[in-house]
């Protein structure tokens, strides 16, 4: 067969995401606070955009064809405006955003005026006010542990070398206030003697809060005992043998300390008053309060009976973006060249699209949040024990959207209700088979039942995992022993042996 050049015509189809659709998808995944930052950048880049005062925008008597742009009439934006952005191209689903087990606690129930029992405003992420926290209510950053300690060194240090070493040691403390590096290594790095390093460490350990600068738990508690004038030989032996206390060998520990039951109980009560992690009292840089994106409130009638759930966006973090069309008309009258008119038309098209995209984003979030509230009505009325298994597919099919759209809407967004503030992903939980074989129950409901059983157990009759399996089966949960152990560990509860030791120590007063 001979080789030679030739021309072929081939026709193919491909799905291409336009920049506008990519931006619309990105907006869905952003939280309200991130949207606020995005709007601020858009205001700086586009002179036709401004923050509205809440009044309706007045359209100028301008011809419709002058205000309409090619972008407004594009098929992609029609899809976005109709809530069918996913039809342009189905998006991949991030597997990490699908159902995952999450820990939760059921607050103390209080009875509402309309029959449903509601928990306190404290939830896994803290509660909000009546209308949710305003963005202006977020205070300045708290003082960190390092800042607090650095400010105290000057009056305490006796010489410049001790102050230098103390400042260096403070920068090496972890967030709990412990010095994790060997003192000899710090002395070598700073080029000081061991005695000078020890003097600097004494300066750090003399600062407030008492216990910072310790190299292990025993030393941290010893510093606090010395501050309280309770560091006698018996307390010293107790702190030198904390591993025996952790294993519950109380009889052996009492013999080592040489005290009777009453004195030993008094020593343990003293230890309970000490702080094993004094540095955690200060800010660590990641404790900013969560600002909810969606607010859920119960609507009642004149008699105080429940009517429906009101689902709304937190407008405190959503500035209203409008287009200044009068300024556009003014600028258009001064554009003498084609490049200027093209630039102005581009800015108008961008502004029109952004306003529509933000409006569609709000509608999509409200639609997803309303469906979540409908699906999890039992949770909002009675607590986590009534949380049902829920998947992204279920919500997507109910509202006629793609799973990827629901996934992006629920990412990094929070819902505030009477029970507290929860991430939207929290309401998507895996299911566990019920004992009667009819339907399934939420994994979060199982965790709440396990927590309730363990908190109510008799200190003299600690429940084993096998016993928990039987008790849960009586409640309608058909679980294997390893599943119970997994859920118990997920909510931070120890084994029966660990709980027996803890309650034995707690019982010594």
């Amino acid at each position: 067969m001979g080789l030679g050049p030739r021309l072929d015509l081939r026709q193919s189809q491909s799905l291409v995401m336009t920049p506008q659709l990519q931006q619309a998808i990105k907006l869905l995944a952003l939280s309200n606070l991130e949207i606020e930052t995005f709007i601020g950048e858009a205001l700086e880049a586009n002179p036709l955009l401004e923050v509205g005062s809440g009044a309706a925008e007045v359209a100028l008597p301008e011809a419709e064809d002058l205000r309409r742009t090619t972008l407004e009439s594009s098929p992609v934006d029609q899809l976005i405006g109709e809530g069918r952005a996913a039809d342009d191209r189905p998006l991949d689903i991030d597997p990490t955003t699908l159902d995952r087990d999450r820990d939760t606690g059921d607050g103390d129930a209080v009875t509402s005026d309309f029959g449903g029992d509601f928990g306190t405003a404290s939830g896994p992420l803290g509660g909000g006010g009546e209308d949710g926290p305003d963005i202006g209510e977020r205070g300045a950053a708290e003082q960190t542990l390092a800042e607090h300690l650095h400010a105290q060194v000057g009056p305490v240090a006796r010489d410049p070398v001790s102050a230098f070493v103390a400042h260096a040691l403070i920068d090496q403390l972890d967030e709990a206030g412990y010095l994790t590096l060997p003192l000899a290594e710090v002395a070598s790095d700073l080029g000081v003697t061991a005695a000078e390093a020890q003097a600097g460490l004494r300066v750090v350990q003399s600062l407030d809060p008492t216990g910072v600068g310790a190299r292990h738990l025993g030393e941290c508690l010893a510093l606090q005992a010395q501050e309280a004038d309770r560091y006698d030989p018996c307390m010293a032996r107790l702190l030198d043998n904390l591993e025996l206390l952790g294993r519950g060998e109380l009889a052996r520990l009492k013999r080592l300390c040489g005290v009777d039951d009453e004195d030993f109980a008094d020593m343990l009560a003293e230890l309970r008053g000490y702080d094993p992690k004094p540095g955690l009292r200060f800010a660590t840089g990641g404790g900013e309060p969560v600002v909810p994106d969606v607010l859920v409130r119960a609507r009642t009638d004149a008699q105080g009976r429940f009517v429906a759930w009101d689902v709304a966006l937190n407008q405190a973090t959503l500035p209203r973006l409008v287009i200044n069309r009068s300024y556009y008309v003014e600028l258009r009258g001064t554009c003498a060249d084609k490049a200027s008119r093209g630039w102005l038309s581009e800015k108008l098209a961008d502004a029109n699209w952004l306003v529509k995209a933000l409006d569609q984003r709000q509608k999509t979030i409200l639609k997803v949040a309303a469906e979540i509230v409908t699906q999890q009505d039992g949770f909002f009325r009675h607590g986590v024990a009534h949380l049902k298994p829920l998947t992204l597919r279920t919500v997507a099919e109910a509202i006629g959207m793609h799973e990827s759209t629901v996934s992006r809407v629920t990412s990094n967004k929070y819902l505030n209700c009477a029970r507290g503030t929860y991430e939207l992903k929290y309401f998507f939980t895996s299911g566990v088979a019920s004992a009667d074989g009819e339907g399934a129950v939420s994994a979060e409901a199982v965790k709440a039942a396990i927590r309730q059983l363990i908190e109510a157990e008799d200190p003299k009759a600690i429940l084993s995992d096998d016993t928990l399996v039987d008790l849960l089966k009586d409640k309608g949960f058909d679980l294997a022993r390893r599943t119970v152990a997994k859920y118990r560990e997920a909510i931070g509860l120890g084994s029966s042996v660990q709980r027996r030791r803890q309650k034995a120590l707690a019982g010594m007063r």
Side-chain angles (χ1 to χ4, degrees), residues 45-300:
N46 196 329
L48 300 181
L49 290 173
E50 61 182 20
V51 178
S53 59
E57 182 181 3
V58 179
L60 296 179
E62 183 182 5
E64 181 68 22
D65 57 340
L66 293 178
R67 295 204 310 268
R68 186 175 299 278
T69 65
T70 56
L71 182 60
E72 287 181 279
S73 59
S74 65
V76 173
D77 282 274
Q78 290 179 8
L79 290 176
I80 295 176
E82 296 171 4
R84 298 186 295 114
D87 293 347
D88 184 77
R89 180 185 181 186
L91 304 173
D92 296 332
I93 300 174
D94 185 0
T96 61
T97 62
L98 297 179
D99 302 330
R100 293 178 296 179
D101 292 338
R102 285 173 171 78
D103 182 20
T104 182
D106 214 6
D108 297 332
V110 294
T111 304
S112 66
D113 294 335
F114 49 85
D117 56 337
F118 286 86
T120 60
S122 60
L125 296 171
E130 180 67 20
D131 297 322
D134 190 280
I135 187 173
E137 297 177 3
R138 292 177 293 157
E142 298 179 5
Q143 188 180 36
T144 64
L145 174 64
E147 293 170 346
H148 179 70
L149 297 177
H150 281 305
Q152 303 177 58
V153 171
V156 176
R158 298 182 178 180
D159 55 79
V161 176
S162 298
F164 167 72
V165 175
H167 284 297
L169 290 176
I170 289 172
D171 292 332
Q172 299 298 328
L173 301 181
D174 63 12
E175 62 180 17
Y178 284 85
L179 180 63
T180 57
L181 292 178
L183 192 59
E185 181 179 337
V186 176
S188 176
D189 293 340
L190 298 178
V192 298
T193 64
E196 291 171 334
Q198 189 66 41
L201 180 61
R202 286 196 296 270
V203 171
V204 175
Q205 292 181 348
S206 66
L207 303 178
D208 175 75
T210 305
V212 295
R215 288 158 288 186
H216 51 79
L217 176 61
E219 185 176 17
C220 178
L221 298 179
L223 291 171
Q224 298 179 59
Q226 293 170 8
E227 177 74 16
D229 197 20
R230 291 295 304 269
Y231 193 69
D232 52 25
C234 295
M235 181 65 77
R237 284 192 289 272
L238 174 60
L239 295 178
D240 289 338
N241 295 275
L242 289 177
E243 68 279 359
L244 298 180
L245 185 62
R247 294 198 299 264
E249 300 182 20
L250 305 184
R252 181 181 175 187
L253 198 53
K254 281 189 291 185
R255 289 196 302 268
L256 287 175
C257 295
V259 295
D260 56 17
D261 291 344
E262 183 178 354
D263 289 338
F264 188 70
D266 184 59
M267 293 167 63
L268 291 182
E270 180 73 20
L271 281 185
R272 292 191 188 98
Y274 296 159
D275 188 355
K277 297 180 179 180
L280 295 184
R281 306 176 193 175
F282 297 85
T284 58
E288 292 81 5
V290 171
V291 179
D293 302 271
V294 181
L295 305 176
V296 177
R297 296 292 180 264
R299 189 197 315 160
T300 58

Side-chain angles (χ1 to χ4, degrees), residues 29-39 412:
L30 297 181
S31 67
N32 280 6
L33 294 181
E34 292 170 331
I35 284 291
E36 184 186 28
T37 302
F38 177 84
I39 289 177
N412 197 28

